[in-house]
Amino acid sequence: MQDQVININEKLSELKELWSPKIIGEIHDFQFKVVKIAGDFIWHEHQGADKVFIVLEGEMFIAFRDGQVKISKGEMFIVPGGAEHMPFAEKE
């Protein structure tokens, strides 16, 4: 077995486009992705799959039809599968 350390900040610095996730690791059927965001994404849902958002820098918001949550650096939030939501950030 070969151990491989993944430097998240290094992978994040390689991203040039907003809203273009890059897979940085996989375990079983789960993918770990990093993405740079700014502005609004689209309203969408993930049927049957919860999604985890972890903020490494800055802050982001996730709008739901009945409110929104703010996620700051060092925090995480789980969006339940099937919940319609729209991620957004005021700045990158």
Side-chain angles (χ1 to χ4, degrees):
M1 179 178 109
Q2 181 181 2
D3 294 326
Q4 180 181 2
V5 174
I6 298 169
N7 185 309
I8 297 171
N9 289 325
E10 180 181 296
K11 298 291 184 184
L12 198 56
S13 72
E14 295 172 2
L15 296 178
K16 304 301 177 211
E17 297 180 39
L18 298 175
W19 299 108
S20 184
K22 178 180 179 183
I23 299 169
I24 62 169
E26 296 185 57
I27 184 169
H28 304 293
D29 293 331
F30 298 99
Q31 297 176 331
F32 295 86
K33 300 176 185 179
V34 292
V35 63
K36 286 185 179 180
I37 67 172
D40 296 345
F41 196 57
I42 59 171
W43 283 98
H44 66 287
E45 61 186 69
H46 304 276
Q47 284 300 325
D50 298 342
K51 295 295 177 179
V52 176
F53 291 82
I54 301 172
V55 175
L56 302 174
E57 289 292 332
E59 62 187 19
M60 70 173 291
F61 299 84
I62 301 178
F64 296 93
R65 294 296 182 183
D66 62 351
Q68 71 180 28
V69 296
K70 175 183 172 184
I71 313 163
S72 299
K73 178 180 178 177
E75 296 179 334
M76 67 179 268
F77 183 79
I78 300 170
V79 175
E84 191 176 20
H85 62 285
M86 181 186 68
F88 67 96
E90 295 172 353
K91 57 184 179 178
E92 185 178 312

